[in-house]
């Protein structure tokens, strides 16, 4: 009898676990908000109201409506969009256009108020005419220089195919790219279109400022659609798939429009700022360079031969180093500067300004700081004297701090770099010595120091490095002297050149390029920064002495042969130079000879850049929490969504009845 009772209890327990019941505390609300109605109704025609109200089945909240909600056609005056209880209210400020389909794309801005369950992508539409347009097109916007997804840029369509439309008319239909660079433009009528992208600074939905990032294409397309099937996954629980469903849907085309965005080089020249951050120099920063350097006339000093001029490669930044320490100690230098600038008509004209170059730190403060340092130095020497240690009685002169970059191990293609804080007045190259150890004996080797082009204070030390050999770089005292008489200290450092066995070689064979194209191939590190580059010869690039590691590769077409990637120009109908990424990581190991064949156009551009080096990461998608599945697992019961909804519905009815009773 006892055995029968025991079996009966076990069976009851199993049945109880299998039954759907309400766990302690009730079920979570994991359901997103649902639209129950709207005024005017969604996809209405002949609408003349500028106020739209959308009603939901629960209280909702609206997140970041300014950037997430897109109204098309684009509105020159910002619409008022707000959430109120179980409603979203949109009030358009622009006049409604006749016979036009309007779409309000809420993206993922709507979620329920309590649990934050996202509604997902939601679009409301209406028409002011007799019919509503339903076509969609989609694609990607990428930065032309590095194929990074461009987030938040406006993407629009024109049915006017003239090149001038982009600069004279607002976009016809508009959307905005997400964190993946993806955009979807909805509510499109049948026709032929061009797509453009615009980082709209002034909100006029047309290319009106040269500083705006843009993308354009001469390709035209006609929107279309076709029936298609997608596969949806139904989960039994958080770990197991219950089944795969084939769901029919309407597939809108084209869905792979790729726009390569760039910012034009601003050729308008104007003076951005002047500063004297250091007493030894003052600097001028221009928006664009010019071969003719500014002319300076001193008003409270003699400017003749007063400066050593340092310019960058583009000559848009100019540093004027003061030769005379008396001028360095003068807190204010008043001067008249003449330079070329762009006037309101776009022409270069001479401009003369009068300015005061005031040292950021006054001479008095610098002297006080020096006196404090000397006082501390004297205290240190007195202590050394009392302890019977070696001490100095004369404050040492400030040495020239030369930064020499000498790694302990280099490859045969490496260079030693040297940079001085101040321009040099003297450089004794005979004081630079390079010794190599061969058979345990040091021999002097040849080397030479050469200036780096367009960099007044940077040099390279070149030598014919031999694999597996140890070297010693030695520089005599006072080998270098700057314009203020400071001399360098002696320098000595050993280094070793790695042997060929410590490296890998990487050969790339390119296809998909025009036969006459100049292609520069770049080997990249994990930060997407080039560490080696070369022109491809006969569509081949061979990188030698590659250190073991993980690498990436890109190539760009050097259209003008200047060795640099160049941006585009809309006025000249010039696209940015084409950039391609090898879509996978390349592993290099010691003694390996890696060879890859690469068709640069085989993978669509928006899929080329490897995710590991893509800096613009996709935003985390808002997903339903599905906490009820996990809760059912914890309780050891079977989860049934339909039963959960019934249970939650009963509780909702009880709460409603209770409120009605309290009101009575």
């Amino acid at each position: 009898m006892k055995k029968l009772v025991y079996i009966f209890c076990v069976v009851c327990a199993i049945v109880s676990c299998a039954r759907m019941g309400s766990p302690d505390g009730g079920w979570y609300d994991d359901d997103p908000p649902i639209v129950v109605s709207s005024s005017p109704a969604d996809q209405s025609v002949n609408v003349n109201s500028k106020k739209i109200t959308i009603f939901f089945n629960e209280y909702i909240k609206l997140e970041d409506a300014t950037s997430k909600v897109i109204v098309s056609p684009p509105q020159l005056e910002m619409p008022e969009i707000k959430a109120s209880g179980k409603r979203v209210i949109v009030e358009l400020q622009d006049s409604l256009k006749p016979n036009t389909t309007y779409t309000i794309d809420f993206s993922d801005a709507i979620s329920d108020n309590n649990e934050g369950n996202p509604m997902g992508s939601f679009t409301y539409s209406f028409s002011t005419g007799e019919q509503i347009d339903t076509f969609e097109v989609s694609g990607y916007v990428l930065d032309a220089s590095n194929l990074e997804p461009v987030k938040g840029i406006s993407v629009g369509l024109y049915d006017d195919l003239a090149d001038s439309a982009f600069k004279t008319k607002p976009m016809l239909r508009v959307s905005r790219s997400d964190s993946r660079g993806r955009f979807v433009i909805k509510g499109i009528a049948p026709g032929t279109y061009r797509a453009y992208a615009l980082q709209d600074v002034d909100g006029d939905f047309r290319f009106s400022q040269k500083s705006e990032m843009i993308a354009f294409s001469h390709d035209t397309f006609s929107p279309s659609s076709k029936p298609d099937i997608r596969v949806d996954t139904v989960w039994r629980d958080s770990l197991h798939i219950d089944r795969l469903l084939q769901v029919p849907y309407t597939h809108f085309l084209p869905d792979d429009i790729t726009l390569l965005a760039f910012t034009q080089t601003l050729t308008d020249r104007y003076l951005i700022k002047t500063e004297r951050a250091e007493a030894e120099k003052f600097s001028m920063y221009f928006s664009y360079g010019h071969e003719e350097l500014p002319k300076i006339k001193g008003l409270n000093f003699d400017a003749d031969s007063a400066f050593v001029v340092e310019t960058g490669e583009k000559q848009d930044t100019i540093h004027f180093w003061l030769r005379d320490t008396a001028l360095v100690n003068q807190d204010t230098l008043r001067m008249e500067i003449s330079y070329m600038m762009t006037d309101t008509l776009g022409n270069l004209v001479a401009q003369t300004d009068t300015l005061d170059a005031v040292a950021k730190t006054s001479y008095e403060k610098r002297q006080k700081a020096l006196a404090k340092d000397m006082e501390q130095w004297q205290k240190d020497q007195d202590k050394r004297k009392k302890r019977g240690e070696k001490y100095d009685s004369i404050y040492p002169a400030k040495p020239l701090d030369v930064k020499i970059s000498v790694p302990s191990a280099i490859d045969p293609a490496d260079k030693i770099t040297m940079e001085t804080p101040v321009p040099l007045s003297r450089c004794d190259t005979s004081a630079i010595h390079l010794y190599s150890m061969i058979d345990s004996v040091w021999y002097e080797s040849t080397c030479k120091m050469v200036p780096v082009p367009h960099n007044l204070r940077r040099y390279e030390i070149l030598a014919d490095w031999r694999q597996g050999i140890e070297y010693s770089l030695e520089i005599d005292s006072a080998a270098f002297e700057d314009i203020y008489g400071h001399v360098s200290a002696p320098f000595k450092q050993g280094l070793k050149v790695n042997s060929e066995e410590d490296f890998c070689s990487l050969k790339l064979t390119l296809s998909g390029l025009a036969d006459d194209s100049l292609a520069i191939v770049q080997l990249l590190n994990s930060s997407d920064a080039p560490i080696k580059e070369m022109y491809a010869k006969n569509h081949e690039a061979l990188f030698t002495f590659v250190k073991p590691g993980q690498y990436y590769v890109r190539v760009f077409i050097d259209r003008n042969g200047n060795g640099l990637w160049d941006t585009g120009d809309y006025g000249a109908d010039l696209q940015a130079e084409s950039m391609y990424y090898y879509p996978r990581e390349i592993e290099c190991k010691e003694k390996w000879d890696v060879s890859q064949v690469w068709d640069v156009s085989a993978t669509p551009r928006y899929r080329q850049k490897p995710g590991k080096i893509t800096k613009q990461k996709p935003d985390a998608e808002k997903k339903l929490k599905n906490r009820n599945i996990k809760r059912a697992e914890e309780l050891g019961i079977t989860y049934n969504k339909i039963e959960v909804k019934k249970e939650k519905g009963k509780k909702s009815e009880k709460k409603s009845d209770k409120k009605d009773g309290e009101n009575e």
Side-chain angles (χ1 to χ4, degrees), residues 38 157 159 274 413 448 521:
S38 59
L157 303 183
D159 59 2
T274 61
K448 62 179 180 179
V521 185

Side-chain angles (χ1 to χ4, degrees), residues 45-111:
V45 295
N46 296 319
V47 173
N48 55 20
S49 173
K50 295 195 290 183
K51 181 177 181 180
I52 298 99
T53 306
I54 304 171
F55 300 90
F56 297 85
N57 66 332
E58 59 182 315
Y59 290 97
I60 56 96
K61 58 185 177 183
L62 191 63
E63 178 186 331
D64 197 10
T66 303
S67 63
K68 288 191 173 184
V69 182
I70 307 295
V71 179
S72 194
Q75 304 293 289
L76 297 179
E77 190 172 348
M78 187 67 67
E80 291 184 10
I81 305 172
K82 60 184 179 180
S84 177
K86 298 182 180 181
R87 300 175 297 168
V88 167
I89 302 169
V90 180
E91 293 192 53
L92 304 179
Q93 305 301 310
D94 289 1
S95 299
L96 295 178
K97 299 178 180 180
N99 300 315
T100 301
T101 294
Y102 282 76
T103 58
I104 305 173
D105 189 346
F106 289 90
S107 183
D108 62 351
I110 299 173
S111 58

Side-chain angles (χ1 to χ4, degrees), residues 602-631:
T603 303
R605 208 80 68 96
Y606 61 86
R607 291 180 181 170
Q608 285 188 3
K609 190 165 188 178
K612 287 186 178 180
I613 58 172
T614 300
K615 296 180 175 62
Q616 174 56 56
K617 303 296 184 183
D619 292 340
E621 291 185 12
K622 291 184 175 181
K623 296 181 179 179
L624 294 176
K625 298 173 183 176
N626 287 330
R627 293 172 297 180
N628 288 324
I629 293 178
K630 294 181 181 179
R631 188 161 191 179

